[in-house]
């Protein structure tokens, strides 16, 4: 029945016709049979193109990351180490490694068992590991734990981490991820912690994000950057990407396969890069070595391999299971909607592109670790006073029980936009123009195959930071011709919100032309 569907695109389009995105899980036997046949045809089409020859994540599963073990052991020797979120997947793996490296004592703070009133040792583990049931939003509980245990090193992993869940419990996510982090910073300073390592996400490298989870993590990075400037603790952080061992997507697909049910995928052509928990643990430990006083450094895996399509992973699992299961596309839920902005990455170094670090950061500071498998960078400057003011407003909304969660989300997005603008204002004009050029992708835009509307928030940030700083000398110093710049302005004219800024930048081009004319006339 699908012999006339000769390409993957044809098959996918037919699947979307049968079950339009946003529809519930199909149950009609006739539709399920058609979906099953189409899924098998899609598997054959992928195989014909050389895909599905093995686990698409095989490289990420087997990849290892160098550990600076001698240096790490030296820093951990005879120390008490505290881990927030210690009963989570990464937290438990980290604690096991800390014990292996010979720490004196490990303390875990986690809200997993907050109904218990007293700390507990881990069953079957050494008595030098203690689990405290506590919420990071409870400052008094944190003070009690820190005063009792006196940790020298803190790993802050606790967070609501699933993007889809964060969109459903907005207030809890904001208060846990942001204000809980403020509490951790506060007690680290109050109780003389030496080092604090924060686990962030590659999503925080976005210039702007309206997604709740990613926005809270970006706020946390700014909070730690602020703490570095004003505190006495040495802070650093890591950026994780899709953790395969603890992946909500992988778990959901595996569950559907095991249950023999239709498998729901967000959409075709949705790609992710993955890493394994061993890499995550080594990143956290190596951050102890790469940290620097009065500077917020972060590290990440350098070579993440090719992005993997979630659809390809689902088809592989079906093929591996030996079952004839159907797939359908549910649509992209909140928390996973934002498109990838091409101006995000530094295209001047195409052989070393990494989506977990942005083009402002690569211009500010960029190093390769001596082991060759990690990138070391620093957070870019921003206006701390602006962050403090915006955060105060966000807290007031969260403390107002009558405030709708959606209003908190909108304010969070505004906070990110306002503070992010100050990072662009402090970046070079040349880098801003490069980001604008990369992000608009003139060639594809002018061919009519690259709409700019999905990237409006990013483009607005860059333009707002440029229009009042652009001058004749800056334009002449950039590797963008006047003709190309004119085409960029024409592309930007589709945004009504940018008309004032476009006119200001257009006047710079006119002034440049006038100066060139006067120079030519004088020379003649």
């Amino acid at each position: 029945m699908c012999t006339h569907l000769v390409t993957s695109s044809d098959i996918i389009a037919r699947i979307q016709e049968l079950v339009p995105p946003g529809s519930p899980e199909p149950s009609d036997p006739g539709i399920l049979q058609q979906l099953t046949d189409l899924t098998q045809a899609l598997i054959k089409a992928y195989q014909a193109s050389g895909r599905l020859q093995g686990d698409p994540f095989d490289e990420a599963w087997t990849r290892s990351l160098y550990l600076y073990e001698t240096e790490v052991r030296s820093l951990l020797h005879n120390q008490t180490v505290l881990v927030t979120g210690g009963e989570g997947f990464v937290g438990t793996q980290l604690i096991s490694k800390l014990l292996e490296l010979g720490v004196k004592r490990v303390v875990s703070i986690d809200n997993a068992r907050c109904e218990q009133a007293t700390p507990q040792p881990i069953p079957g583990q050494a008595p030098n590991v203690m689990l405290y049931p506590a919420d990071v939003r409870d400052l008094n509980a944190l003070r009690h734990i820190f005063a009792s245990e006196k940790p020298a090193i803190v790993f802050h992993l606790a967070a609501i981490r699933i993007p889809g869940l964060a969109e459903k419990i907005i207030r809890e996510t904001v208060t846990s991820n942001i204000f809980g982090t403020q509490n951790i910073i506060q007690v680290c300073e109050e109780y003389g912690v030496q080092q604090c390592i924060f686990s962030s996400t590659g999503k925080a490298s976005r210039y702007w994000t309206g997604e709740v989870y990613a926005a809270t993590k970006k706020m946390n990075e700014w909070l730690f950057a602020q703490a570095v400037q004003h505190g006495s603790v040495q802070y650093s952080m890591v950026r994780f990407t899709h953790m395969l061992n603890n992946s909500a997507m992988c778990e959901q697909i595996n569950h559907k396969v095991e249950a023999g049910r239709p498998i729901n995928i967000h959409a075709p052509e949705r790609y992710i890069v993955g890493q394994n928990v061993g890499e995550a643990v080594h990143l956290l430990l190596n951050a102890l070595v790469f940290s620097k006083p009065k500077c917020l450094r972060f590290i990440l895996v350098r070579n993440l391999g090719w992005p993997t399509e979630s659809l390809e992973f689902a088809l592989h699992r079906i093929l591996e299971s030996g079952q004839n299961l159907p797939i359908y596309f549910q649509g992209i839920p909140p928390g996973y909607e934002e498109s990838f902005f091409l101006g995000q990455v530094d295209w001047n170094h195409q052989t070393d592109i990494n989506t977990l670090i942005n083009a402002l950061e690569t211009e500010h500071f960029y190093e390769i670790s001596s082991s060759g498998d990690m990138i070391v960078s620093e957070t870019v400057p921003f206006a701390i006073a602006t962050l403090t003011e915006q955060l105060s407003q966000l807290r007031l909304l969260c403390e107002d029980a009558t405030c709708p969660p959606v209003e908190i989300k909108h304010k969070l997005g505004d906070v990110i936009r306002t503070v992010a603008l100050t990072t662009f204002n402090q970046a070079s004009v040349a880098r801003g123009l490069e980001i604008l050029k990369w992000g608009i992708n003139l060639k594809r835009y002018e061919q009519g195959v690259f709409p700019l509307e999905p990237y409006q928030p990013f483009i607005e940030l860059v333009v707002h930071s440029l229009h009042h700083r652009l001058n004749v000398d800056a334009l002449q110093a950039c590797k963008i011709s006047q003709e190309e710049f004119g085409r960029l302005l024409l592309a930007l004219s589709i945004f009504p919100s940018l008309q004032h800024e476009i006119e200001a930048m257009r006047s710079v081009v006119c002034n440049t032309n006038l100066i060139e004319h006067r120079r030519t006339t004088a020379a003649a």
Side-chain angles (χ1 to χ4, degrees):
M1 49 80 61
C2 45
T3 54
H4 63 290
L5 301 176
V6 294
T7 69
S8 298
S9 298
D10 292 334
I11 299 168
I12 289 169
R14 179 57 183 149
I15 291 172
Q16 291 174 316
E17 287 176 8
L18 286 170
V19 185
S23 302
E25 180 178 309
S27 58
D28 179 88
I31 290 179
L32 287 173
Q33 185 58 57
Q34 291 185 67
L35 290 175
T36 300
D37 292 342
L38 289 165
T39 301
Q40 288 300 310
L42 193 56
I43 288 173
K44 289 182 173 60
Y46 269 56
Q47 289 174 322
S49 64
R51 301 166 77 177
L52 298 179
Q53 303 304 307
D55 186 342
F57 286 119
D58 182 62
E59 179 189 353
W61 278 117
T62 57
R63 198 169 51 219
S64 61
L65 194 74
Y66 181 77
L67 175 66
Y68 290 83
E69 186 168 340
T70 301
E71 295 89 336
V72 170
R73 280 187 180 274
S74 175
L75 291 166
L76 293 176
H77 177 67
N78 205 34
Q79 301 285 19
T80 294
V81 179
L82 185 145
V83 180
T84 73
E87 295 185 59
F89 188 81
V90 176
T92 56
Q93 299 296 312
L94 175 62
I95 288 174
S96 294
K97 191 67 178 181
L98 288 169
L99 294 172
E100 179 186 319
L101 292 169
V103 298
K104 180 177 73 174
R105 183 172 174 83
V106 178
V107 177
S108 166
I109 294 176
D110 203 298
N111 66 357
R113 297 170 299 105
C114 275
E115 68 279 2
Q116 296 184 9
T118 57
Q120 303 288 325
I122 297 180
Q125 290 275 13
N128 59 341
V129 180
M130 191 63 69
L131 305 180
Y132 281 87
D135 193 310
V136 292
R137 292 174 294 180
D138 187 341
L139 183 57
N140 289 331
L142 294 180
R143 281 175 168 152
H144 171 74
I145 297 167
F146 273 65
S148 301
E149 298 289 352
K150 300 178 177 56
I153 295 171
V154 171
F155 290 92
H156 179 38
L157 313 184
I160 293 171
R161 67 172 184 84
I162 301 176
L165 176 62
E167 299 292 331
K168 296 175 182 177
I169 52 171
I170 295 171
R171 191 188 306 271
E172 183 178 349
T173 301
V174 171
T175 54
S176 296
N177 291 9
I178 296 178
F179 303 129
T181 293
Q182 279 191 304
N183 287 342
I184 292 296
I185 291 172
Q186 184 170 337
V187 291
C188 282
E189 294 291 342
E190 289 178 357
Y191 293 94
V193 168
Q194 296 172 16
Q195 282 207 52
C196 177
I197 313 300
F198 169 61
S199 64
S200 188
T201 170
K203 293 177 182 289
S205 68
R206 301 173 185 172
Y207 303 126
W208 174 86
T209 176
E211 294 178 355
V212 175
Y213 167 72
T216 59
K217 285 292 190 175
K218 192 165 185 69
M219 285 289 291
N220 285 347
E221 293 195 358
W222 286 330
L223 287 173
F224 279 102
Q226 180 186 38
V228 160
Q229 297 299 315
H230 296 94
S232 58
V233 179
Q234 194 163 308
Y235 297 97
S236 57
M237 68 181 194
V238 304
R239 280 185 182 159
F240 293 156
T241 186
H242 203 88
M243 194 75 62
L244 295 179
N245 310 74
N246 196 29
S247 162
M249 179 200 78
C250 294
E251 288 176 359
Q252 175 255 317
I253 291 175
N254 288 335
H255 173 73
K256 290 296 185 71
V257 169
E258 291 167 5
R261 293 174 55 191
I263 298 173
N264 50 307
I265 307 297
H266 288 170
E269 297 186 354
R270 299 284 291 186
Y271 294 87
I272 58 173
V273 289
Q275 70 178 115
N276 61 68
V277 71
E279 291 176 305
V281 169
H282 283 194
L283 276 177
L284 289 165
L285 294 168
N286 284 333
L288 293 168
V289 179
F290 285 100
S291 66
K292 182 180 177 182
K294 298 301 178 184
C295 169
L296 185 61
R297 286 195 166 179
F298 63 91
I299 58 174
L300 50 102
V301 176
R302 180 185 181 190
N303 180 15
L304 292 166
W306 289 103
T308 294
E309 188 186 26
S310 56
L311 172 58
E312 183 177 359
F313 174 73
L315 295 175
H316 165 71
R317 286 294 290 113
I318 292 171
L319 190 63
E320 186 180 50
S321 74
Q323 302 180 71
N324 289 333
L325 298 176
I327 60 106
Y328 69 99
F329 302 101
Q330 69 180 76
I332 303 171
Y336 304 90
E337 299 165 302
E338 288 175 7
S339 301
F340 179 75
F341 181 54
L342 288 175
Q344 168 85 16
V345 296
D346 188 343
W347 293 96
N348 287 334
H349 306 283
Q350 295 191 30
T351 58
D352 216 13
I353 284 176
N354 190 300
T355 57
L356 308 191
I357 180 171
N358 66 49
L360 291 182
E361 293 163 340
T362 57
E363 181 189 44
H364 180 65
F365 182 83
Y366 183 92
E367 265 186 10
I368 304 299
S369 65
S370 60
S371 59
D373 56 1
M374 285 169 282
I375 292 172
V376 185
S377 189
E378 298 174 358
T379 52
V380 296
F382 63 95
I384 290 178
T386 301
L387 173 67
T388 302
E389 178 187 359
Q390 291 292 316
L391 198 56
S392 176
Q393 296 174 15
L394 181 63
R395 183 182 285 274
L396 287 175
L397 285 184
C398 290
E399 291 175 347
D400 180 0
T402 65
C403 179
V406 68
E407 189 174 332
I408 295 173
K409 176 179 177 175
H410 289 159
K411 178 58 181 177
L412 179 61
D414 289 341
V415 172
I416 299 298
R417 184 180 294 106
T418 302
V419 180
L421 180 59
T422 71
T423 68
F424 274 96
N425 285 339
Q426 297 188 52
S428 71
V429 172
R431 179 44 57 108
L433 283 171
E434 284 181 319
I435 290 171
L436 189 64
K437 175 183 175 180
W438 295 330
I440 289 180
N441 197 347
L442 267 178
K443 183 176 181 180
R444 294 187 64 205
Y445 170 73
E446 290 171 345
Q447 291 173 346
V449 296
F450 189 74
L452 297 182
E453 287 80 2
Y455 312 102
Q456 182 171 346
F458 307 103
I459 292 171
E460 286 179 341
L461 265 180
V462 184
V463 173
H464 286 156
S465 74
L466 284 177
H467 81 278
H468 62 287
R469 296 190 296 151
L470 194 65
N471 54 42
V472 172
D473 292 335
L475 192 60
Q476 289 177 333
C478 294
K479 297 178 182 179
I480 300 178
S481 68
Q482 291 184 37
E483 182 271 337
E484 185 178 14
F485 188 66
R487 290 161 58 208
L488 284 173
L489 294 181
L490 183 61
L492 291 173
S493 65
I494 68 169
F495 299 117
S497 61
L498 294 177
Q499 296 310 306
H500 170 73
E501 290 79 4
I502 292 170
E503 287 305 315
M505 292 192 292
R506 185 171 284 124
S507 68
V508 173
V509 179
C510 294
N511 290 337
T512 303
N513 289 335
L514 179 60
I515 290 173
E516 287 300 319
H517 175 72
R518 288 174 177 171
R519 286 175 179 170
T520 303
T521 302

